Structure formats: structure tokens, C-alpha cells
Coordinates of all heavy atoms in Angstrom, one line a residue:
M1 N 0.8 -1.2 0.0 CA 0.0 0.0 0.0 C 0.9 1.2 0.0 O 1.8 1.3 0.8 CB -0.9 0.0 1.3 CG -1.9 -1.1 1.3 SD -3.3 -0.8 0.1 CE -4.6 -0.7 1.2
L2 N 0.5 2.2 -0.9 CA 1.3 3.4 -1.0 C 0.5 4.6 -0.5 O -0.7 4.7 -0.9 CB 1.6 3.6 -2.5 CG 2.3 4.8 -2.9 CD1 3.8 4.8 -2.5 CD2 2.2 5.1 -4.4
L3 N 1.1 5.4 0.4 CA 0.4 6.6 0.9 C 0.4 7.6 -0.2 O 1.4 8.0 -0.7 CB 1.1 7.1 2.1 CG 0.6 8.4 2.7 CD1 -0.8 8.4 3.1 CD2 1.5 8.9 3.8
V4 N -0.8 8.1 -0.6 CA -0.9 9.1 -1.7 C -0.8 10.4 -1.1 O 0.0 11.3 -1.4 CB -2.3 8.9 -2.4 CG1 -2.4 10.0 -3.5 CG2 -2.3 7.5 -3.1
C5 N -1.7 10.8 -0.2 CA -1.8 12.0 0.5 C -2.9 12.0 1.5 O -3.6 10.9 1.5 CB -2.0 13.2 -0.5 SG -3.6 13.1 -1.4
S6 N -3.1 13.0 2.3 CA -4.3 13.0 3.1 C -5.5 13.3 2.3 O -5.4 14.0 1.3 CB -4.1 14.0 4.3 OG -4.2 15.3 3.8
L7 N -6.7 12.9 2.8 CA -7.9 13.2 2.1 C -8.1 14.7 2.0 O -8.6 15.2 1.0 CB -9.1 12.5 2.8 CG -10.4 12.4 2.1 CD1 -10.3 11.6 0.8 CD2 -11.5 11.8 3.0
A8 N -7.7 15.4 3.0 CA -7.8 16.9 3.0 C -7.0 17.6 1.9 O -7.3 18.7 1.4 CB -7.4 17.5 4.4
E9 N -5.9 16.9 1.5 CA -5.1 17.5 0.4 C -5.6 17.2 -1.0 O -5.1 17.7 -2.0 CB -3.7 16.9 0.5 CG -2.9 17.3 1.7 CD -1.6 16.6 1.8 OE1 -1.5 15.4 1.9 OE2 -0.5 17.3 1.8
L10 N -6.7 16.4 -1.1 CA -7.3 16.2 -2.4 C -8.8 16.5 -2.3 O -9.6 15.7 -2.0 CB -7.1 14.7 -2.8 CG -7.6 14.2 -4.1 CD1 -6.9 15.0 -5.2 CD2 -7.5 12.7 -4.3
P11 N -9.1 17.8 -2.5 CA -10.5 18.2 -2.4 C -11.4 17.5 -3.3 O -11.0 17.0 -4.3 CB -10.4 19.7 -2.8 CG -9.0 20.1 -2.6 CD -8.2 18.9 -3.0
R12 N -12.7 17.5 -2.9 CA -13.7 16.9 -3.8 C -13.7 17.5 -5.2 O -13.5 18.7 -5.3 CB -15.1 17.0 -3.2 CG -15.2 16.2 -1.9 CD -16.7 16.2 -1.4 NE -16.7 15.5 -0.1 CZ -17.9 15.0 0.3 NH1 -19.0 15.1 -0.4 NH2 -17.9 14.3 1.5
G13 N -13.8 16.7 -6.2 CA -13.9 17.2 -7.6 C -12.5 17.3 -8.2 O -12.4 17.8 -9.3
E14 N -11.5 16.8 -7.5 CA -10.1 17.0 -8.0 C -9.4 15.6 -8.2 O -9.8 14.6 -7.5 CB -9.3 17.9 -7.1 CG -9.8 19.3 -7.2 CD -8.8 20.3 -6.7 OE1 -7.6 19.9 -6.4 OE2 -9.2 21.5 -6.6
G15 N -8.4 15.6 -9.0 CA -7.6 14.4 -9.2 C -6.1 14.7 -8.9 O -5.7 15.9 -8.9
R16 N -5.4 13.6 -8.7 CA -4.0 13.8 -8.4 C -3.2 12.7 -9.1 O -3.6 11.5 -9.1 CB -3.7 13.7 -6.9 CG -2.2 13.6 -6.5 CD -2.1 13.5 -5.0 NE -2.4 14.8 -4.4 CZ -1.6 15.5 -3.7 NH1 -0.4 15.0 -3.4 NH2 -1.9 16.7 -3.1
R17 N -2.1 13.1 -9.8 CA -1.3 12.1 -10.5 C -0.3 11.5 -9.5 O 0.4 12.2 -8.8 CB -0.6 12.8 -11.7 CG 0.4 11.9 -12.5 CD 1.0 12.8 -13.5 NE 2.2 12.2 -14.1 CZ 2.2 11.4 -15.2 NH1 1.1 11.2 -15.8 NH2 3.3 10.9 -15.6
V18 N -0.2 10.2 -9.5 CA 0.8 9.5 -8.7 C 1.8 8.9 -9.6 O 1.6 7.9 -10.3 CB 0.2 8.4 -7.8 CG1 1.2 7.7 -7.0 CG2 -0.9 8.9 -6.9
D19 N 3.0 9.5 -9.7 CA 4.0 9.0 -10.7 C 5.1 8.3 -10.0 O 6.2 8.0 -10.7 CB 4.5 10.1 -11.6 CG 4.9 11.4 -10.9 OD1 5.2 11.3 -9.7 OD2 5.0 12.4 -11.6
S20 N 5.0 8.0 -8.7 CA 6.0 7.1 -8.1 C 5.8 5.7 -8.4 O 6.5 4.8 -8.0 CB 6.0 7.4 -6.6 OG 4.7 7.1 -6.0
V21 N 4.7 5.4 -9.1 CA 4.4 4.0 -9.6 C 4.5 4.1 -11.2 O 4.3 5.1 -11.8 CB 3.1 3.5 -9.2 CG1 3.1 3.3 -7.7 CG2 1.9 4.3 -9.6
E22 N 4.8 2.9 -11.7 CA 4.9 2.9 -13.2 C 4.0 1.8 -13.8 O 4.2 0.6 -13.4 CB 6.4 2.5 -13.5 CG 6.8 2.4 -15.0 CD 6.6 3.7 -15.7 OE1 7.0 4.7 -15.2 OE2 6.1 3.5 -16.9
P23 N 3.1 2.1 -14.6 CA 2.8 3.4 -15.1 C 2.0 4.2 -14.1 O 1.5 3.7 -13.1 CB 1.9 3.1 -16.3 CG 1.3 1.8 -16.0 CD 2.3 1.0 -15.2
A24 N 2.0 5.5 -14.3 CA 1.4 6.5 -13.3 C -0.1 6.2 -13.1 O -0.8 5.7 -14.0 CB 1.6 7.9 -13.8
V25 N -0.6 6.5 -11.9 CA -2.0 6.3 -11.6 C -2.6 7.6 -11.2 O -1.9 8.5 -10.8 CB -2.0 5.3 -10.4 CG1 -3.4 5.3 -9.7 CG2 -1.6 3.9 -10.8
A26 N -3.9 7.8 -11.5 CA -4.6 9.0 -11.2 C -5.6 8.6 -10.1 O -6.3 7.7 -10.2 CB -5.3 9.6 -12.4
V27 N -5.6 9.4 -9.0 CA -6.5 9.2 -7.9 C -7.5 10.4 -7.9 O -7.1 11.6 -8.0 CB -5.7 9.1 -6.5 CG1 -6.7 9.0 -5.4 CG2 -4.7 8.0 -6.6
F28 N -8.8 10.1 -7.8 CA -9.8 11.1 -7.8 C -10.7 11.1 -6.6 O -10.9 10.0 -6.0 CB -10.7 10.9 -9.0 CG -10.0 11.0 -10.3 CD1 -9.6 9.8 -11.0 CD2 -9.8 12.2 -10.9 CE1 -8.9 9.9 -12.2 CE2 -9.2 12.3 -12.1 CZ -8.7 11.2 -12.8
H29 N -11.1 12.2 -6.2 CA -12.0 12.4 -5.0 C -13.3 13.0 -5.6 O -13.3 14.2 -6.1 CB -11.4 13.3 -4.0 CG -12.2 13.4 -2.7 ND1 -11.8 14.2 -1.7 CD2 -13.2 12.7 -2.2 CE1 -12.6 14.1 -0.7 NE2 -13.5 13.2 -1.0
T30 N -14.4 12.3 -5.7 CA -15.6 12.7 -6.4 C -16.3 13.7 -5.5 O -16.1 13.8 -4.3 CB -16.5 11.6 -6.7 OG1 -17.1 11.1 -5.5 CG2 -15.8 10.5 -7.5
E31 N -17.3 14.4 -6.1 CA -18.1 15.4 -5.4 C -18.9 14.7 -4.3 O -19.3 15.3 -3.3 CB -19.0 16.1 -6.4 CG -18.3 17.0 -7.4 CD -17.7 18.3 -6.7 OE1 -17.9 18.5 -5.5 OE2 -17.0 19.0 -7.4
D32 N -19.2 13.4 -4.5 CA -19.9 12.6 -3.6 C -19.1 12.1 -2.4 O -19.6 11.4 -1.5 CB -20.6 11.4 -4.2 CG -21.8 11.8 -5.1 OD1 -22.3 12.9 -4.9 OD2 -22.2 11.1 -6.0
G33 N -17.8 12.3 -2.5 CA -16.9 11.9 -1.4 C -16.2 10.6 -1.6 O -15.6 10.1 -0.6
E34 N -16.4 10.0 -2.8 CA -15.8 8.7 -3.0 C -14.4 8.9 -3.6 O -14.1 9.9 -4.2 CB -16.6 7.8 -3.9 CG -17.9 7.4 -3.4 CD -18.7 6.4 -4.3 OE1 -19.2 6.9 -5.3 OE2 -18.6 5.2 -4.1
V35 N -13.5 7.9 -3.4 CA -12.2 8.0 -3.9 C -11.9 6.8 -4.8 O -12.2 5.7 -4.5 CB -11.1 8.0 -2.7 CG1 -9.7 8.1 -3.3 CG2 -11.4 9.1 -1.8
F36 N -11.4 7.1 -6.0 CA -11.1 6.1 -7.0 C -9.7 6.2 -7.6 O -9.2 7.3 -7.6 CB -12.1 6.2 -8.2 CG -13.5 5.9 -7.8 CD1 -14.4 6.9 -7.6 CD2 -14.0 4.6 -7.7 CE1 -15.7 6.7 -7.3 CE2 -15.3 4.3 -7.4 CZ -16.2 5.4 -7.2
A37 N -9.2 5.1 -8.1 CA -7.9 5.2 -8.8 C -7.9 4.4 -10.1 O -8.4 3.3 -10.1 CB -6.8 4.6 -7.9
I38 N -7.4 5.1 -11.1 CA -7.3 4.4 -12.5 C -5.9 4.7 -13.0 O -5.2 5.6 -12.6 CB -8.4 4.9 -13.4 CG1 -8.3 6.4 -13.7 CG2 -9.8 4.5 -12.9 CD1 -9.3 6.9 -14.8
D39 N -5.5 4.0 -14.1 CA -4.3 4.4 -14.8 C -4.4 5.9 -15.3 O -5.5 6.3 -15.7 CB -4.1 3.5 -16.0 CG -3.6 2.1 -15.7 OD1 -3.1 2.0 -14.5 OD2 -3.7 1.2 -16.5
D40 N -3.3 6.6 -15.2 CA -3.4 8.0 -15.4 C -3.4 8.3 -16.9 O -3.9 9.4 -17.3 CB -2.2 8.7 -14.7 CG -2.3 10.2 -15.0 OD1 -3.3 10.8 -14.6 OD2 -1.3 10.8 -15.5
T41 N -2.7 7.5 -17.7 CA -2.5 7.9 -19.1 C -3.7 7.4 -20.0 O -4.1 6.2 -19.9 CB -1.3 7.2 -19.7 OG1 -0.2 7.6 -18.8 CG2 -1.0 7.7 -21.1
C42 N -4.3 8.3 -20.7 CA -5.4 8.0 -21.6 C -5.0 7.0 -22.6 O -3.9 7.0 -23.0 CB -5.9 9.3 -22.3 SG -7.3 9.1 -23.3
T43 N -5.9 6.1 -22.9 CA -5.6 5.0 -23.9 C -5.7 5.5 -25.3 O -5.4 4.8 -26.3 CB -6.5 3.8 -23.7 OG1 -7.9 4.2 -23.9 CG2 -6.3 3.2 -22.4
H44 N -6.1 6.8 -25.6 CA -6.2 7.3 -26.9 C -4.8 7.9 -27.3 O -4.2 7.5 -28.3 CB -7.3 8.3 -27.0 CG -7.4 9.0 -28.3 ND1 -7.3 10.3 -28.5 CD2 -7.6 8.4 -29.6 CE1 -7.5 10.6 -29.8 NE2 -7.6 9.4 -30.5
Q45 N -4.4 8.9 -26.6 CA -3.0 9.4 -26.8 C -2.4 9.7 -25.4 O -2.9 9.2 -24.4 CB -3.1 10.7 -27.7 CG -3.4 10.3 -29.1 CD -3.4 11.6 -30.0 OE1 -3.1 12.7 -29.6 NE2 -3.9 11.4 -31.2
D46 N -1.4 10.5 -25.4 CA -0.6 10.7 -24.2 C -1.1 11.8 -23.3 O -0.5 12.9 -23.2 CB 0.9 10.8 -24.5 CG 1.7 10.6 -23.3 OD1 1.2 10.1 -22.3 OD2 2.9 11.0 -23.4
A47 N -2.3 11.7 -22.7 CA -2.8 12.7 -21.9 C -2.9 12.2 -20.4 O -3.2 11.0 -20.2 CB -4.1 13.2 -22.4
S48 N -2.8 13.1 -19.5 CA -2.9 12.7 -18.1 C -4.3 12.9 -17.6 O -4.9 14.0 -17.6 CB -2.0 13.6 -17.2 OG -2.2 13.4 -15.8
L49 N -5.0 11.8 -17.3 CA -6.4 11.9 -16.9 C -6.6 12.6 -15.5 O -7.6 13.1 -15.3 CB -7.0 10.5 -16.8 CG -7.1 9.7 -18.1 CD1 -7.5 8.3 -17.9 CD2 -8.0 10.5 -19.1
A50 N -5.5 12.7 -14.8 CA -5.6 13.5 -13.5 C -5.9 14.9 -13.8 O -6.4 15.7 -13.0 CB -4.3 13.3 -12.7
D51 N -5.5 15.4 -15.0 CA -5.8 16.8 -15.4 C -7.2 16.9 -16.1 O -7.5 18.0 -16.6 CB -4.7 17.2 -16.5 CG -3.3 17.4 -15.8 OD1 -3.3 17.5 -14.6 OD2 -2.3 17.3 -16.6
G52 N -7.9 15.8 -16.1 CA -9.2 15.9 -16.8 C -10.3 16.5 -15.9 O -10.0 17.0 -14.8
W53 N -11.6 16.4 -16.3 CA -12.7 16.9 -15.6 C -13.5 15.8 -15.0 O -13.9 14.9 -15.7 CB -13.5 17.8 -16.5 CG -12.8 19.1 -16.9 CD1 -12.7 20.2 -16.2 CD2 -12.0 19.2 -18.0 NE1 -11.9 21.1 -16.8 CE2 -11.4 20.6 -18.0 CE3 -11.6 18.4 -19.1 CZ2 -10.6 21.1 -18.9 CZ3 -10.8 19.0 -20.1 CH2 -10.3 20.3 -20.0
L54 N -13.8 15.9 -13.7 CA -14.6 14.9 -13.0 C -16.0 15.3 -13.1 O -16.4 16.5 -12.9 CB -14.2 14.9 -11.5 CG -13.3 13.9 -11.0 CD1 -13.2 14.0 -9.5 CD2 -13.7 12.5 -11.4
E55 N -16.8 14.3 -13.4 CA -18.3 14.5 -13.4 C -18.9 13.2 -12.9 O -18.8 12.2 -13.6 CB -18.8 14.9 -14.8 CG -20.2 15.6 -14.7 CD -20.7 16.0 -16.0 OE1 -19.9 16.6 -16.8 OE2 -21.8 15.8 -16.3
G56 N -19.4 13.3 -11.7 CA -20.0 12.1 -11.1 C -18.8 11.1 -10.9 O -17.8 11.4 -10.4
C57 N -19.1 9.9 -11.5 CA -18.0 8.8 -11.4 C -17.3 8.7 -12.7 O -16.9 7.6 -13.1 CB -18.7 7.5 -11.0 SG -19.0 7.4 -9.2
E58 N -17.2 9.8 -13.5 CA -16.5 9.7 -14.8 C -15.5 10.8 -14.8 O -15.6 11.9 -14.2 CB -17.5 10.0 -15.9 CG -18.4 8.9 -16.3 CD -19.2 9.2 -17.5 OE1 -19.5 10.4 -17.8 OE2 -19.6 8.3 -18.3
V59 N -14.4 10.5 -15.6 CA -13.4 11.6 -15.8 C -13.4 11.8 -17.3 O -13.4 10.8 -18.1 CB -12.0 11.3 -15.2 CG1 -11.4 10.0 -15.8 CG2 -11.1 12.5 -15.4
E60 N -13.3 13.0 -17.7 CA -13.2 13.4 -19.2 C -11.8 13.8 -19.5 O -11.2 14.6 -18.8 CB -14.1 14.5 -19.5 CG -14.1 14.9 -20.9 CD -15.2 16.0 -21.2 OE1 -16.3 15.8 -20.9 OE2 -14.7 17.0 -21.7
C61 N -11.2 13.1 -20.5 CA -9.8 13.4 -20.9 C -9.7 14.8 -21.3 O -10.5 15.3 -22.0 CB -9.4 12.4 -22.0 SG -7.8 12.8 -22.6
P62 N -8.6 15.5 -20.9 CA -8.4 16.9 -21.2 C -8.1 17.1 -22.7 O -8.2 18.3 -23.2 CB -7.3 17.4 -20.3 CG -6.5 16.1 -20.0 CD -7.6 15.0 -19.9
L63 N -7.7 16.1 -23.4 CA -7.3 16.3 -24.8 C -8.4 16.2 -25.8 O -8.7 17.1 -26.6 CB -6.1 15.3 -25.2 CG -4.7 15.9 -25.1 CD1 -3.8 14.9 -25.8 CD2 -4.6 17.2 -25.7
H64 N -9.1 15.1 -25.8 CA -10.1 14.9 -26.8 C -11.5 14.4 -26.2 O -12.3 13.9 -26.9 CB -9.7 13.9 -27.9 CG -8.3 14.2 -28.4 ND1 -7.2 13.4 -28.1 CD2 -7.9 15.2 -29.3 CE1 -6.2 13.9 -28.7 NE2 -6.5 15.0 -29.4
A65 N -11.6 14.6 -24.9 CA -12.9 14.4 -24.3 C -13.4 13.0 -24.2 O -14.6 12.7 -24.0 CB -14.0 15.3 -24.9
S66 N -12.5 11.9 -24.3 CA -13.0 10.6 -24.0 C -13.4 10.6 -22.5 O -12.8 11.3 -21.7 CB -11.9 9.6 -24.2 OG -11.7 9.3 -25.5
R67 N -14.4 9.8 -22.2 CA -14.8 9.6 -20.8 C -14.6 8.2 -20.3 O -14.9 7.3 -21.0 CB -16.2 10.1 -20.6 CG -16.4 11.6 -20.8 CD -17.6 12.1 -20.0 NE -18.8 11.4 -20.4 CZ -19.6 11.9 -21.4 NH1 -19.2 13.0 -22.1 NH2 -20.7 11.2 -21.8
F68 N -14.0 8.1 -19.1 CA -13.8 6.8 -18.5 C -14.6 6.7 -17.2 O -14.6 7.7 -16.4 CB -12.3 6.7 -18.2 CG -11.4 6.6 -19.4 CD1 -10.9 7.8 -19.9 CD2 -11.1 5.4 -20.0 CE1 -10.1 7.8 -21.1 CE2 -10.3 5.4 -21.2 CZ -9.8 6.6 -21.7
D69 N -15.1 5.5 -17.0 CA -15.9 5.3 -15.7 C -14.8 4.9 -14.6 O -14.0 4.0 -14.8 CB -16.8 4.1 -15.9 CG -17.8 3.9 -14.8 OD1 -17.3 3.9 -13.6 OD2 -19.0 3.7 -15.0
L70 N -14.9 5.7 -13.6 CA -13.9 5.5 -12.5 C -14.1 4.2 -11.8 O -13.2 3.6 -11.2 CB -13.9 6.6 -11.5 CG -13.7 8.0 -12.0 CD1 -13.8 9.1 -10.9 CD2 -12.3 8.1 -12.6
R71 N -15.3 3.6 -11.8 CA -15.6 2.4 -11.1 C -15.1 1.2 -11.8 O -14.7 0.2 -11.2 CB -17.1 2.3 -10.8 CG -17.6 3.4 -9.9 CD -19.1 3.5 -10.0 NE -19.5 3.9 -11.4 CZ -20.7 4.4 -11.7 NH1 -21.6 4.5 -10.9 NH2 -20.9 4.8 -13.0
T72 N -15.1 1.2 -13.1 CA -14.8 0.1 -14.0 C -13.6 0.3 -14.9 O -13.0 -0.7 -15.4 CB -16.0 -0.3 -14.8 OG1 -16.2 0.8 -15.8 CG2 -17.2 -0.6 -14.0
G73 N -13.3 1.5 -15.1 CA -12.2 1.8 -16.1 C -12.7 1.8 -17.5 O -11.9 2.0 -18.5
E74 N -13.9 1.5 -17.8 CA -14.4 1.3 -19.1 C -14.6 2.7 -19.8 O -14.8 3.7 -19.1 CB -15.7 0.6 -19.1 CG -15.5 -0.9 -18.8 CD -16.8 -1.7 -18.7 OE1 -17.9 -1.1 -19.1 OE2 -16.8 -2.8 -18.3
V75 N -14.5 2.7 -21.1 CA -14.7 3.9 -21.9 C -16.2 4.2 -22.0 O -17.0 3.3 -22.4 CB -14.1 3.7 -23.3 CG1 -14.4 5.0 -24.2 CG2 -12.7 3.4 -23.3
D76 N -16.6 5.4 -21.7 CA -18.0 5.8 -21.8 C -18.2 6.7 -23.0 O -19.4 6.9 -23.4 CB -18.5 6.5 -20.5 CG -18.8 5.5 -19.4 OD1 -18.8 4.3 -19.7 OD2 -18.9 5.9 -18.2
A77 N -17.2 7.3 -23.5 CA -17.3 8.2 -24.7 C -16.0 8.1 -25.5 O -14.9 8.1 -24.9 CB -17.6 9.6 -24.2
P78 N -16.1 8.0 -26.8 CA -14.9 7.9 -27.6 C -14.2 9.3 -27.7 O -14.7 10.3 -27.2 CB -15.4 7.5 -29.0 CG -16.8 8.1 -29.0 CD -17.3 8.0 -27.6
P79 N -13.0 9.4 -28.3 CA -12.4 8.5 -29.3 C -11.6 7.3 -28.7 O -11.3 6.4 -29.4 CB -11.4 9.4 -30.1 CG -11.1 10.5 -29.1 CD -12.3 10.7 -28.3
A80 N -11.3 7.3 -27.4 CA -10.6 6.2 -26.8 C -11.5 4.9 -27.0 O -12.7 5.0 -26.9 CB -10.3 6.4 -25.4
K81 N -10.8 3.8 -27.3 CA -11.6 2.5 -27.4 C -11.3 1.6 -26.3 O -12.1 0.8 -25.9 CB -11.2 1.9 -28.7 CG -11.6 2.7 -30.0 CD -11.4 1.8 -31.2 CE -11.9 2.5 -32.5 NZ -11.0 3.4 -33.1
L82 N -10.0 1.6 -25.8 CA -9.6 0.7 -24.7 C -9.8 1.4 -23.3 O -9.5 2.5 -23.1 CB -8.1 0.4 -24.8 CG -7.7 -0.6 -25.9 CD1 -6.2 -0.8 -25.9 CD2 -8.4 -2.0 -25.6
G83 N -10.3 0.6 -22.4 CA -10.4 1.1 -21.0 C -9.1 1.1 -20.3 O -8.1 0.8 -20.9
V84 N -9.1 1.7 -19.1 CA -7.9 1.7 -18.3 C -8.1 0.8 -17.1 O -9.2 0.4 -16.8 CB -7.7 3.2 -17.8 CG1 -7.3 4.1 -18.9 CG2 -8.9 3.7 -17.1
R85 N -7.0 0.5 -16.5 CA -7.1 -0.4 -15.3 C -7.6 0.4 -14.1 O -7.3 1.6 -14.0 CB -5.7 -1.0 -14.9 CG -5.1 -1.9 -16.0 CD -3.7 -2.4 -15.5 NE -2.8 -1.3 -15.1 CZ -1.8 -1.5 -14.3 NH1 -1.4 -2.7 -13.9 NH2 -1.0 -0.5 -14.0
T86 N -8.3 -0.3 -13.2 CA -8.7 0.4 -11.9 C -7.8 -0.2 -10.8 O -7.2 -1.3 -10.9 CB -10.1 0.1 -11.6 OG1 -10.3 -1.3 -11.5 CG2 -11.1 0.6 -12.7
H87 N -7.6 0.6 -9.8 CA -6.8 0.2 -8.7 C -7.5 0.4 -7.4 O -8.4 1.3 -7.3 CB -5.5 1.0 -8.7 CG -4.8 1.0 -10.0 ND1 -4.0 -0.1 -10.3 CD2 -4.7 1.8 -11.0 CE1 -3.5 0.1 -11.6 NE2 -3.9 1.3 -12.0
A88 N -7.2 -0.4 -6.4 CA -7.8 -0.3 -5.1 C -7.3 0.9 -4.3 O -6.1 1.2 -4.3 CB -7.6 -1.6 -4.3
V89 N -8.2 1.7 -3.7 CA -7.8 2.7 -2.8 C -8.6 2.6 -1.5 O -9.8 2.2 -1.5 CB -8.1 4.1 -3.4 CG1 -7.0 4.6 -4.3 CG2 -9.4 4.2 -4.1
T90 N -8.0 2.9 -0.4 CA -8.7 2.9 0.9 C -8.3 4.3 1.6 O -7.3 4.9 1.3 CB -8.2 1.8 1.8 OG1 -6.8 1.8 1.8 CG2 -8.7 0.4 1.2
V91 N -9.2 4.7 2.4 CA -9.0 5.8 3.2 C -8.9 5.4 4.7 O -9.9 4.8 5.2 CB -10.1 6.9 3.1 CG1 -9.8 8.1 4.0 CG2 -10.1 7.4 1.6
T92 N -7.8 5.5 5.3 CA -7.6 5.1 6.7 C -7.1 6.3 7.5 O -6.1 6.9 7.1 CB -6.6 4.0 6.8 OG1 -7.0 2.9 5.9 CG2 -6.4 3.4 8.2
D93 N -7.8 6.6 8.6 CA -7.4 7.7 9.5 C -7.1 9.0 8.7 O -6.2 9.7 8.9 CB -6.2 7.4 10.3 CG -6.4 6.2 11.3 OD1 -7.6 6.0 11.6 OD2 -5.5 5.5 11.6
G94 N -8.0 9.2 7.6 CA -7.9 10.5 6.9 C -6.8 10.5 5.8 O -6.5 11.5 5.2
D95 N -6.1 9.3 5.6 CA -5.1 9.3 4.6 C -5.5 8.3 3.5 O -6.2 7.3 3.7 CB -3.8 8.8 5.2 CG -3.1 9.8 6.0 OD1 -3.2 11.0 5.7 OD2 -2.5 9.4 7.0
I96 N -5.2 8.7 2.2 CA -5.5 7.8 1.1 C -4.4 6.9 0.8 O -3.2 7.3 0.6 CB -5.8 8.7 -0.2 CG1 -6.9 9.7 0.1 CG2 -6.1 7.9 -1.4 CD1 -7.1 10.8 -1.0
Y97 N -4.7 5.6 0.7 CA -3.7 4.6 0.3 C -4.1 3.9 -1.0 O -5.2 3.6 -1.2 CB -3.6 3.5 1.4 CG -3.0 4.1 2.7 CD1 -3.8 4.6 3.7 CD2 -1.6 4.0 2.9 CE1 -3.3 5.1 4.9 CE2 -1.0 4.5 4.1 CZ -1.9 5.1 5.1 OH -1.4 5.6 6.2
L98 N -3.1 3.7 -1.8 CA -3.3 3.1 -3.1 C -2.6 1.7 -3.1 O -1.5 1.5 -2.7 CB -2.6 4.0 -4.1 CG -2.4 3.5 -5.6 CD1 -3.8 3.4 -6.2 CD2 -1.5 4.4 -6.4
D99 N -3.4 0.7 -3.7 CA -2.9 -0.6 -3.9 C -2.9 -0.9 -5.4 O -4.0 -1.2 -6.0 CB -3.7 -1.6 -3.1 CG -3.1 -3.0 -3.0 OD1 -2.0 -3.1 -3.5 OD2 -3.8 -3.9 -2.5
V100 N -1.8 -0.7 -6.1 CA -1.8 -0.8 -7.5 C -2.0 -2.2 -8.0 O -1.4 -3.2 -7.5 CB -0.4 -0.3 -8.1 CG1 -0.3 -0.4 -9.6 CG2 -0.2 1.2 -7.7
A101 N -2.9 -2.4 -8.9 CA -3.2 -3.7 -9.5 C -2.0 -4.2 -10.3 O -1.2 -3.4 -10.9 CB -4.4 -3.6 -10.5
S102 N -1.7 -5.5 -10.2 CA -0.6 -6.0 -10.9 C -1.0 -6.6 -12.2 O -2.1 -6.6 -12.6 CB 0.1 -7.2 -10.1 OG -0.9 -8.1 -9.7
Ligands
FES1 S1 -5.7 11.7 -25.5 FE1 -7.5 11.2 -24.3 S2 -9.1 11.3 -25.7 FE2 -7.4 11.7 -26.9

């Protein structure tokens, strides 16, 4: 388990890129207060999904607006065709921990 940051450091509606793992992972805190982690790099081209826009449980890629479901990693809107991996995250004592899928 990797400590990402405290929950307070990742406000609702924002994402954070974790590049101490390879490939990088994006962790999101939704407006509803849930925390999700997916691969950070869009499967369409080389964009960081942590820089995208969160809406509900979806993130929209900042480059060409593909949308990925944070719960499943599946593509909800093209041009991306391939989904991204999801990773386990837990919040313990106010800190976000990431367990990268192998
Ligand atoms: S790089 Fe993400 S949709 Fe094109």
C-alpha cells in the first residue's frame, strides 16, 4: 500500500497524478466523497487523466474528451476505445492509500 496524501489534500472534484508508480496512476475524489484510482494515461493518446474533468463517477480526458468510468475503467465516450485499469484505494485515518493492480 502506497500513501498518496491525506484526504484533505485532495479536495472533492479533483484528481492527483501519482507518478512514483509505473505506469502512473490517477486518484480522484468525487463530489460525492468517494475515492477512485485508475491508470493516469489516456488510452487514446498521451494525456494525463488526472488533469481531466470529473463529473460524477466519470473523468473526461483533457485532450479529446474521452470519458472513463472510475468504477470500472471502461470507456463511456470515444475517441478512446480501450479502457484503463482500476486500482484499489482505501482511506484510513484520513489518509488515502493506493494498492496498484498487478
Ligand atoms: S488523449 Fe485522451 S481522448 Fe485523446
Side-chain angles (χ1 to χ4, degrees):
M1 293 287 242
L2 176 74
L3 174 62
V4 176
C5 62
S6 72
L7 195 58
E9 289 175 301
L10 184 61
R12 291 185 185 207
E14 292 195 7
R16 170 181 288 239
R17 178 181 163 95
V18 179
D19 51 17
S20 58
V21 293
E22 178 66 39
V25 168
V27 178
F28 297 97
H29 189 184
T30 70
E31 294 289 354
D32 288 339
E34 292 185 283
V35 180
F36 295 100
I38 60 174
D39 283 342
D40 182 57
T41 306
C42 182
T43 57
H44 179 236
Q45 286 180 11
D46 195 13
S48 171
L49 294 175
D51 291 337
W53 291 274
L54 258 188
E55 199 176 316
C57 283
E58 284 186 332
V59 62
E60 182 177 303
C61 177
L63 262 194
H64 311 107
S66 284
R67 288 205 303 271
F68 296 88
D69 190 313
L70 300 178
R71 297 162 295 195
T72 63
E74 289 176 8
V75 178
D76 284 347
K81 294 190 174 84
L82 282 178
V84 291
R85 297 182 306 162
T86 59
H87 306 282
V89 275
T90 52
V91 178
T92 305
D93 295 335
D95 289 323
I96 303 171
Y97 291 89
L98 171 67
D99 192 4
V100 177
S102 52

